[in-house]
Amino acid sequence: MKKLIPFLTIALCLPVAVIVTSKAPIETQAADSGYKAASLPKTIDLNPVPESEVRSYYSSLNGKNLQGDDLLKALKPILKNNQQYYSYDSGNAIWQMYEITDRDWTLSPAENITNGTYDKATNTITNYKYGSMSNPLDNPYLHLLYRNHDEPASNIRAWDHHGDNKGIDREHIWPKSRGFGVKDGNEVKVPGARGDIHHLLPGDSYVNSSSHSNNSYGFVDPTKITDNAGNKYKIDKKVVVGGNYRGTSQTFGTTLGTNEVFEPQDCDKGDIARACFYMVARYNNLAGDDDTIDAGNPNLFLEDTVDTATIYSTATKPVSIGILRDLLAWHKLDPVDDYEIHRNDLIYRNYGKNRNPFIDFPNWVDAVWGTVELGEDQRTIKARNSNPSGLANPSTDTLYSASSPVVSIEAKPTATTYFVQENFAFEGNVIATCEDNSKRDVTKDCSFSNYDLSKVGGTTVTVTYSNSSITTNYAINVAQPELLELSATAFQVKQNETFVFNGKVFGKLNDIKRDITAQCTIPEVDTSKPGKVELTIVHNPSGLTIKATVEVQENLAPFGLSWPIFIAIVAGAVVLLLVIFIIVMAKSKKARKAVTKAAKKSVKKSVKKNSKR
């Protein structure tokens, strides 16, 4: 029995050892911070997020009719929930994300990716390998802030950053020094707001360092420009256009202080404004009892200011940038575009796991901060109403651009031939054209009807956008397959178990091959006896058949034994253990009697000795 104890102990400890040694996904965490840096995904989903899913993301706001600070307060938990951060200082995580989030998908289409597998049918990339400065790998062209996008010399690749004002910078739209980057004179380097990809965009390094720096945003007085990046750029003046300025505020002059403001080129104005709006919605302390305010989770707000002082926010002292009224004007001057929408979707699906609500619902900007009215020159603030305008309702508010509703749709199917009685599923894309002539993919927001796949011939599919009156039609052909093909010709099943067909049946016609398993009859298989059974599969609409082999495997007990032998061994082992147990217990009874007798005898001797004393 003593020899059995160590073995029993080991056996009992094995499950514990498995639990202790099993490894959770690797995650790094900066010292003294509560913000964990996630690992970059290797599977990338490039698909647009359907409008229904966008509305669902904000569904907790439905029916609340919020505005102003109440809307900001309600948005914060939505944006914070499931948000992922990536390390800003360790490794190349932010630079590597740019390969996807800010890729120029025209100059560097997904089909060109070699360091991963791109599946056009699903619009996903698997086993993607990110590059680095020493090993650029895919190295796609990027969309950069402050660059002249019409100038070929502006096309720069993801790993063309050199730290010498000749390449790319990670541009903090909200400067680190304004609320979360510095404490007690020391820069606090933790994941969190500092590396939030929604406000961390790739930009021209020269403009970032020489013109923007940590200056507030605002229109620059054309007569008081102190830095024109387009005139001073070190490589090619055509690359950075005149329009990225630093100088005195046109809106306020020097009444808000002598600090200068920065004005980017027109096509970047709205992107920058909406990134600032996002930062205030995500990082604020309007609830008063929220999580700890620190370097990773600052307390931010927007106002008309040109202050550039380095300052650290606290729970009771939020920190601002500005100029707010100019940012509101930029939001209107440069509406949401396809690049922003796609970037927002890529971040949501693959990286940050959250969204910028002011890209999704541009009218919410007015619902929080009120409105501005521009003069005819589109640079002068004619009027400012700081009262919130409108109420947020994600179930009905217009997505992306209030001024650009969908006016028509076009179906671009990749499959126009189906087999008779097949279950219809649209394959391809539906592209919407908006009033401003912009286009976007609305496939997942469309329904498909009126087709007839019950008989051979031609039929028409009606595509309807988002339960509206906007429709389009396209023709499909319904045919019979000429032959059948199986994904596998041999299958296996255990004896006495129910056979489940886990393959696929394809119909083939010329170069067309489609899955028609659902239209086939697959007979039951007798699994009572081991051996091979021939399976005849019938395609019901055409009567075509195809054969497969099913191997019924003998259902053996553990160690490859037959069940009668295994049961006999187990029964014998149980009987043997019972016999050993009885013997041990019998010996234990005798031992207990001997010990009791010896103890009584010892007590008697002790009593006698004590009485003699």
Side-chain angles (χ1 to χ4, degrees):
M1 187 67 180
K2 290 181 180 179
K3 292 183 179 180
L4 287 175
I5 291 175
F7 292 106
L8 290 171
T9 303
I10 293 171
L12 289 171
C13 289
L14 279 175
V16 177
V18 170
I19 294 170
V20 171
T21 58
S22 62
K23 294 182 179 179
I26 296 175
E27 237 176 13
T28 59
Q29 184 171 352
D32 301 322
S33 81
Y35 309 96
K36 294 181 179 179
S39 299
L40 292 171
K42 294 183 180 179
T43 297
I44 312 295
D45 188 343
L46 305 180
N47 288 290
V49 177
E51 294 184 8
S52 56
E53 185 176 344
V54 175
R55 294 184 188 279
S56 176
Y57 179 73
Y58 302 100
S59 61
S60 62
L61 303 181
N62 288 343
K64 293 186 177 180
N65 298 320
L66 300 175
Q67 61 177 204
D69 285 353
D70 289 335
L71 178 54
L72 289 176
K73 183 165 59 177
L75 280 170
K76 180 173 181 177
I78 297 173
L79 306 183
K80 179 183 174 183
N81 186 37
N82 297 321
Q83 184 180 10
Q84 290 188 170
Y85 288 111
Y86 297 85
S87 176
Y88 180 88
D89 293 291
S90 301
N92 298 297
I94 301 298
W95 294 109
Q96 290 169 328
M97 275 192 280
Y98 289 157
E99 294 185 10
I100 300 298
T101 59
D102 294 272
R103 187 186 189 98
D104 187 318
W105 295 96
T106 300
L107 295 175
S108 299
E111 289 86 347
N112 291 355
I113 290 175
T114 57
N115 293 283
T117 302
Y118 174 64
D119 186 336
K120 187 175 182 179
T122 61
N123 202 24
T124 58
I125 307 168
T126 55
N127 299 317
Y128 184 70
K129 296 179 182 178
Y130 297 87
S132 67
M133 180 62 86
S134 59
N135 188 19
L137 294 177
D138 189 43
N139 204 20
Y141 287 105
L142 294 189
H143 180 287
L144 296 184
L145 293 174
Y146 318 136
R147 286 270 177 153
N148 180 358
H149 299 149
D150 295 327
E151 174 57 45
S154 289
N155 298 331
I156 189 168
R157 293 188 180 274
W159 295 98
D160 289 343
H161 53 87
H162 311 291
D164 57 2
N165 290 335
K166 294 181 181 179
I168 303 172
D169 260 357
R170 295 173 295 184
E171 167 70 295
H172 287 86
I173 301 301
W174 192 291
K176 295 178 292 180
S177 60
R178 296 298 296 172
F180 56 87
V182 177
K183 184 179 183 181
D184 301 327
N186 297 309
E187 187 171 4
V188 183
K189 298 183 177 181
V190 299
R194 185 169 181 259
D196 192 317
I197 193 67
H198 280 290
H199 90 117
L200 195 62
L201 279 71
D204 181 87
S205 60
Y206 178 76
V207 180
N208 182 20
S209 61
S210 68
S211 299
H212 177 211
S213 186
N214 64 342
N215 291 299
S216 294
Y217 299 105
F219 287 115
V220 172
D221 185 336
T223 66
K224 297 180 181 179
I225 295 172
T226 56
D227 179 76
N228 179 349
N231 289 334
K232 296 183 179 181
Y233 194 71
K234 296 181 179 180
I235 301 176
D236 186 339
K237 292 180 182 178
K238 293 183 295 183
V239 173
V240 172
V241 296
N244 293 292
Y245 304 127
R246 186 181 77 244
T248 301
S249 165
Q250 174 171 294
T251 303
F252 286 101
T254 58
T255 60
L256 294 179
T258 57
N259 292 320
E260 297 174 320
V261 296
F262 169 64
E263 177 181 350
Q265 61 181 341
D266 289 345
C267 63
D268 295 332
K269 283 182 167 70
D271 304 53
I272 287 172
R274 286 179 284 275
C276 291
F277 300 149
Y278 161 84
M279 290 297 284
V280 175
R282 170 59 188 90
Y283 303 101
N284 63 69
N285 195 40
L286 292 170
D289 57 353
D290 208 343
D291 46 353
T292 303
I293 297 299
D294 56 21
N297 185 48
N299 187 7
L300 308 178
F301 78 110
L302 286 167
E303 67 174 356
D304 292 331
T305 181
V306 295
D307 187 7
T308 60
T310 297
I311 188 170
Y312 190 86
S313 67
T314 68
T316 57
K317 185 176 70 175
V319 175
S320 71
I321 61 171
I323 297 172
L324 173 57
R325 65 183 62 197
D326 287 359
L327 291 173
L328 295 174
W330 292 1
H331 171 61
K332 295 185 181 299
L333 285 172
D334 176 31
V336 174
D337 57 27
D338 288 341
Y339 160 70
E340 281 184 278
I341 295 170
H342 193 208
R343 187 178 198 271
N344 201 22
D345 287 348
L346 290 171
I347 292 171
Y348 171 71
R349 285 198 182 279
N350 304 290
Y351 299 102
K353 303 296 184 182
N354 66 349
R355 303 186 64 82
N356 183 334
F358 305 106
I359 293 175
D360 293 331
F361 295 102
N363 61 300
W364 288 4
V365 173
D366 294 350
V368 174
W369 289 284
T371 60
V372 295
E373 182 181 350
L374 287 168
E376 292 183 0
D377 63 356
Q378 297 294 289
R379 294 180 57 83
T380 304
I381 307 297
K382 186 176 179 180
R384 166 81 168 104
N385 186 343
S386 59
N387 295 320
S389 174
L391 301 170
N393 189 343
S395 63
T396 58
D397 286 346
T398 302
L399 280 162
Y400 308 127
S401 177
S403 61
S404 298
V406 172
V407 294
S408 65
I409 57 175
E410 179 186 3
K412 295 185 175 182
T414 57
T416 55
T417 296
Y418 291 77
F419 290 131
V420 65
Q421 294 185 21
E422 184 179 349
N423 296 326
F424 177 83
F426 177 74
E427 298 173 32
N429 301 93
V430 181
I431 305 301
T433 299
C434 304
E435 277 187 1
D436 64 356
N437 291 322
S438 64
K439 297 181 183 296
R440 65 174 184 265
D441 190 320
V442 294
T443 308
K444 294 185 178 180
D445 298 296
C446 292
S447 59
F448 304 86
S449 60
N450 295 337
Y451 51 83
D452 181 5
L453 272 63
S454 65
K455 56 187 178 181
V456 173
T459 188
T460 300
V461 178
T462 299
V463 186
T464 304
Y465 168 67
S466 193
N467 297 319
S468 69
S469 60
I470 300 173
T471 63
T472 189
N473 298 313
Y474 74 97
I476 62 174
N477 179 47
V478 184
Q480 290 280 22
E482 289 184 343
L483 55 89
L484 305 182
E485 181 181 295
L486 289 172
S487 58
T489 57
F491 302 89
Q492 295 178 338
V493 63
K494 294 289 186 181
Q495 186 179 355
N496 296 319
E497 291 184 358
T498 301
F499 172 69
V500 178
F501 181 73
N502 59 0
K504 291 183 179 180
V505 183
F506 297 101
K508 298 188 71 176
L509 175 65
N510 300 324
D511 59 347
I512 298 170
K513 178 179 176 180
R514 300 187 60 78
D515 183 352
I516 56 173
T517 310
Q519 287 73 52
C520 294
T521 296
I522 301 168
E524 295 181 358
V525 175
D526 181 3
T527 63
S528 61
K529 297 178 181 180
K532 292 184 178 180
V533 179
E534 187 176 73
L535 185 70
T536 301
I537 299 172
V538 182
H539 178 237
N540 297 320
S542 66
L544 292 173
T545 63
I546 192 168
K547 296 184 182 298
T549 300
V550 178
E551 182 184 358
V552 181
Q553 298 177 330
E554 187 177 359
N555 198 0
L556 298 175
F559 310 109
L561 301 173
S562 65
W563 277 106
I565 295 176
F566 180 74
I567 292 172
I569 292 173
V570 171
V574 171
V575 171
L576 179 60
L577 288 173
L578 285 172
V579 171
I580 292 172
F581 178 76
I582 292 169
I583 293 172
V584 170
M585 291 302 294
K587 289 183 177 181
S588 298
K589 188 174 181 180
K590 291 179 180 180
R592 285 197 299 272
K593 287 182 178 180
V595 170
T596 302
K597 185 177 181 181
K600 289 180 178 179
K601 188 175 181 180
S602 177
V603 170
K604 287 180 179 179
K605 287 183 179 181
S606 177
V607 171
K608 286 180 179 181
K609 287 181 180 180
N610 289 331
S611 62
K612 288 179 180 180
R613 293 175 185 171

